[in-house]
Amino acid sequence: MPYEPRFDIPQYDFTKDLAYGEANETIVKEFLIAISSGAIEVKADRYRNGRIAIETDQYTPTGEWKLSGINVTTAEWLAYMQTPQTFTIINIPRLKRFLKINKRTIGKRGLAKGDHPTMGYLLMPHHVHDLMNNPEYD
């Protein structure tokens, strides 16, 4: 692979680095305030497969589909537990932007069967990586 200057780390600049660090500290402080006020939704993956299920609709006992999950949550953050000791935290507006942009390629599907069927999106590990790293969703 040839040399790629775009991957070089730029020259150290204390003023820029300090401002960048302080801006990120503010984001974390706002996150902590949000979760302490209960603005977090927690879901868990019992299968440990690296996927994330995002519910959007639920079948009601009256035989109708209604909006649910991400479509109705008032939470600001989603904590998705991959194991009891690891979890991914995603800002809900970012997740909604990701789903809006990618809904055709991911496709809505059934998530749960039985007495209370649900529909939504099943994000594969490569989707989760894109969601976490792509500036298009900022």
Side-chain angles (χ1 to χ4, degrees):
M1 177 179 213
Y3 171 69
E4 287 278 352
R6 65 187 170 129
F7 295 124
D8 287 352
I9 297 172
Q11 182 66 30
Y12 176 74
D13 181 332
F14 178 79
T15 304
K16 280 185 178 178
D17 291 344
L18 178 62
Y20 181 77
E22 288 173 343
N24 286 296
E25 286 176 5
T26 299
I27 292 169
V28 172
K29 287 175 187 173
E30 290 171 355
F31 163 74
L32 293 172
I33 290 166
I35 64 167
S36 68
S37 70
I40 189 165
E41 178 107 11
V42 179
K43 299 293 180 187
D45 180 358
R46 71 177 51 159
Y47 305 109
R48 296 186 181 207
N49 55 25
R51 300 184 293 187
I52 295 180
I54 307 296
E55 180 183 316
T56 59
D57 304 272
Q58 182 181 60
Y59 196 68
T60 67
T62 60
E64 301 170 325
W65 286 95
K66 70 174 186 173
L67 297 178
S68 65
I70 195 165
N71 285 327
V72 298
T73 188
T74 59
E76 296 175 41
W77 297 91
L78 169 68
Y80 202 89
M81 300 191 65
Q82 273 75 22
T83 74
Q85 296 82 28
T86 63
F87 49 93
T88 302
I89 299 175
I90 307 164
N91 178 260
I92 297 287
R94 180 184 186 88
L95 180 57
K96 287 181 175 182
R97 285 189 296 273
F98 170 84
L99 292 173
K100 183 177 182 180
I101 291 169
N102 294 290
K103 66 183 176 184
R104 290 181 59 206
T105 56
I106 297 173
K108 197 181 278 193
R109 60 189 288 163
L111 296 175
K113 297 179 177 145
D115 294 340
H116 302 286
T118 60
M119 297 209 38
Y121 298 96
L122 184 59
L123 307 185
M124 298 300 171
H126 69 278
H127 296 131
V128 177
H129 183 268
D130 181 46
L131 168 63
M132 302 299 283
N133 293 291
N134 192 333
E136 185 174 4
Y137 317 120
D138 288 350

